[in-house]
């Protein structure tokens, strides 16, 4: 999906419409999807890649709308990046993923608690 042309919201809707048929989804985020301005330390930098804000919005949408059961972030290469931008980006993405996952789990647990009363 071309996020540059379609925007995050439109792309996210397309992704969700195709993935909602699955009851368990594992998400792998390749850090080199980010433009090198946001994550230089990767083996295959992608000029014209996503901004960090675009990726964070995509992650939020995926975790909010789909039954994500796990995730990973790959391709961060600290030895290729003296400023460690890819490491910091990966850390932030992981933190956001865990936050969205936990919040969704808490909401489901609360909902199930009240259903059993």
């Amino acid at each position: 999906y071309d996020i540059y042309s379609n925007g995050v919201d439109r792309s996210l809707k397309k992704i969700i419409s195709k993935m909602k048929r699955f009851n368990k989804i594992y998400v792998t985020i390749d850090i080199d999807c980010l433009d090198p301005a946001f994550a230089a330390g990767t083996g295959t930098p992608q000029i014209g890649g996503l901004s960090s804000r675009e990726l964070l919005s995509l992650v939020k949408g995926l975790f909010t709308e789909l039954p994500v059961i796990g995730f990973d972030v790959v391709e961060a290469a600290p030895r290729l990046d003296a400023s460690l931008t890819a490491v910091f980006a990966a850390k932030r993405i992981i933190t956001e993923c865990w936050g969205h996952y936990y919040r969704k789990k808490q909401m489901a647990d609360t909902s199930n608690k009240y259903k059993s009363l």
Side-chain angles (χ1 to χ4, degrees):
Y1 294 98
D2 190 354
I3 295 169
Y4 179 75
S5 297
N6 297 328
V8 172
D9 290 338
R10 188 170 167 201
S11 297
L12 194 53
K13 285 178 186 175
K14 286 183 180 182
I15 294 166
I16 291 167
S17 72
K18 295 199 181 278
M19 299 297 292
K20 67 182 176 185
R21 64 187 171 104
F22 299 105
N23 58 4
K24 293 180 181 176
I25 296 173
Y26 188 92
V27 176
T28 294
I29 300 169
D30 193 330
I31 201 73
D32 66 17
C33 71
L34 291 172
D35 187 275
F38 303 101
T42 181
T44 52
Q46 300 298 313
I47 302 299
L50 300 175
S51 72
S52 53
R53 174 54 43 210
E54 288 169 328
L55 182 55
L56 291 172
S57 294
L58 283 169
V59 164
K60 181 179 182 182
L62 293 175
F63 275 79
T64 301
E65 300 295 329
L66 295 172
V68 177
I69 61 163
F71 68 92
D72 62 13
V73 178
V74 299
E75 293 290 325
R79 291 183 179 185
L80 300 177
D81 182 11
S83 66
L84 301 176
T85 56
V87 172
F88 289 119
K91 178 184 168 198
R92 175 67 188 271
I93 293 163
I94 291 167
T95 301
E96 292 290 318
C97 288
W98 275 118
H100 295 309
Y101 180 82
Y102 179 77
R103 186 172 21 262
K104 192 170 184 176
K105 184 171 178 359
Q106 288 298 103
M107 290 172 61
D109 290 348
T110 301
S111 177
N112 289 336
K113 178 181 174 182
Y114 290 114
K115 284 180 184 178
S116 65
L117 294 177

